[in-house]
Amino acid sequence: MCTDTAKLSIPRHIAIIMDGNGRWAEERGKHRLFGHKAGVDAVREVVETSRSLGVQHLTLYAFSTENWRRPEGEVSGLMTLLQSYLRSELKTMLSNDIRLCCLGEAQQLPAEVREVLEKTMAETMHCGAMVLNLALSYGGRSELVRVARSLARDCEEGRLHWKSIDEELFAGRLYSVGQPDPDLLIRTGGERRLSNFLLWQLSYAELYFTETKWPDFRRPHLIEAITAYNQRQRRFGRTGGQVLSLAVEQP
Ligand code: IPE
Ligand code: IPE
Ligand code: MG
């Protein structure tokens, strides 16, 4: 593994499906919430490492629209953890120049979580070194339906002609408006699926799956994922030869 991070090309945007908390706890004979709590330490280390490596956008899948189907006790435990994470991290975000954004249906979150989320987003609005997106009550399909509805309404009310709808206009109405698409998607916990995450934005992301469960994921694991990313050739539909000659022309 390459540990000299100076030699690595750092993805501009990394997205992570933080999976495996429940199984990590169950393996230890503990309640699932114990795994979610341990996962917060991994979040802290990954945010800090990403910032120090120069990642500009980091998106963490923290709670999906489908996760509302979990037992009430697990959902409320997750909401409490989220609230305390946000409370405890504001200072660190400010001192590290990290801006917090939320992707998802924030209005579905309990009022006390929404309150601290909005406060943190407002107070870090001016920060420019890295954007930390928390995907909360996020579902890729519902995000796309939301865009379709907003475009349809604008057409119906005469503000937009259907022929003006293109990829740029569509992307401009996603939660991630203004941010580049993820270059690298990491999923921990051994599953190999997207679970309704960033269906539009991940079109050309490099996918990296690891057996490591989220509570065990640390700086070396992140560097390993970035090292694997460095070994990929991103062709975006072109041939390998074209990509190599473009790299020579445009260093
Ligand atoms: C991911 O871990 C965290 C959330 C979905 C909130 P899981 O809770 O899904 O852990 P496993 O997959 O059951 O081990
Ligand atoms: C995806 O994990 C959602 C988050 C990590 C927040 P899940 O554990 O909910 O995904 P599935 O249900 O196994 O596909
Ligand atoms: Mg899971």
Side-chain angles (χ1 to χ4, degrees):
M1 193 185 88
C2 170
T3 45
D4 183 0
T5 56
K7 288 199 182 121
L8 289 174
S9 147
I10 302 298
R12 188 148 67 125
H13 186 167
I14 298 180
I16 308 183
I17 302 177
M18 309 183 289
D19 197 21
N21 295 351
R23 280 165 287 156
W24 184 90
E26 283 158 6
E27 274 167 14
R28 288 160 179 76
K30 308 265 191 184
H31 192 273
R32 295 174 58 84
L33 268 177
F34 180 75
H36 295 313
K37 274 193 196 126
V40 176
D41 295 331
V43 169
R44 289 204 178 94
E45 185 158 329
V46 165
V47 170
E48 190 192 313
T49 305
S50 300
R51 169 69 178 85
S52 71
L53 291 174
V55 173
Q56 290 169 30
H57 302 257
L58 175 68
T59 301
L60 302 178
Y61 203 7
F63 195 86
S64 72
T65 46
E66 289 73 24
N67 289 148
W68 291 112
R69 298 175 184 152
R70 292 195 177 193
E72 214 182 297
E74 182 167 343
V75 171
S76 64
L78 279 164
M79 293 300 145
T80 307
L81 264 182
L82 176 60
Q83 204 182 330
S84 68
Y85 168 76
L86 290 170
R87 281 226 175 89
S88 64
E89 290 319 281
L90 177 61
K91 255 194 183 160
T92 315
M93 285 184 204
L94 289 171
S95 60
N96 288 298
D97 202 19
I98 297 172
R99 176 179 177 186
L100 182 80
C101 294
C102 170
L103 312 183
E105 304 161 351
Q107 73 283 0
Q108 301 293 332
L109 300 169
E112 54 282 12
V113 176
R114 238 171 28 229
E115 205 175 294
V116 58
L117 183 65
E118 275 159 19
K119 176 177 154 36
T120 315
M121 290 196 296
E123 293 199 17
T124 59
M125 187 101 93
H126 64 282
C127 296
M130 183 174 91
V131 176
L132 170 62
N133 295 303
L134 287 186
L136 295 170
S137 192
Y138 175 85
R141 287 186 175 179
S142 106
E143 178 179 36
L144 297 178
V145 167
R146 190 171 164 270
V147 173
R149 281 190 181 159
S150 115
L151 293 170
R153 194 200 295 124
D154 281 0
C155 288
E156 191 175 81
E157 294 174 4
R159 285 187 294 272
L160 183 67
H161 191 275
W162 64 269
K163 277 193 179 163
S164 332
I165 300 174
D166 57 14
E167 290 185 15
E168 200 185 332
L169 189 79
F170 198 100
R173 296 190 186 205
L174 295 166
Y175 292 122
S176 53
V177 50
Q179 300 194 46
D181 288 340
D183 303 292
L184 170 63
L185 169 80
I186 299 171
R187 182 172 188 145
T188 63
E191 310 295 357
R192 291 164 183 247
R193 53 179 172 255
L194 294 181
S195 300
N196 205 11
F197 192 39
L198 301 176
L199 297 180
W200 173 286
Q201 298 90 334
L202 290 175
S203 293
Y204 261 105
E206 295 300 324
L207 309 182
Y208 178 87
F209 300 101
T210 170
E211 294 298 320
T212 304
K213 296 183 180 70
W214 180 251
D216 289 329
F217 197 86
R218 288 291 181 279
R219 180 185 168 92
H221 301 94
L222 183 63
I223 292 171
E224 200 174 325
I226 296 175
T227 305
Y229 166 84
N230 273 250
Q231 285 151 7
R232 311 269 178 97
Q233 185 189 47
R234 304 185 77 191
R235 292 192 281 274
F236 298 101
R238 291 191 170 88
T239 67
Q242 281 179 303
V243 171
L244 288 175
S245 61
L246 280 172
V248 173
E249 283 163 29
Q250 304 166 4

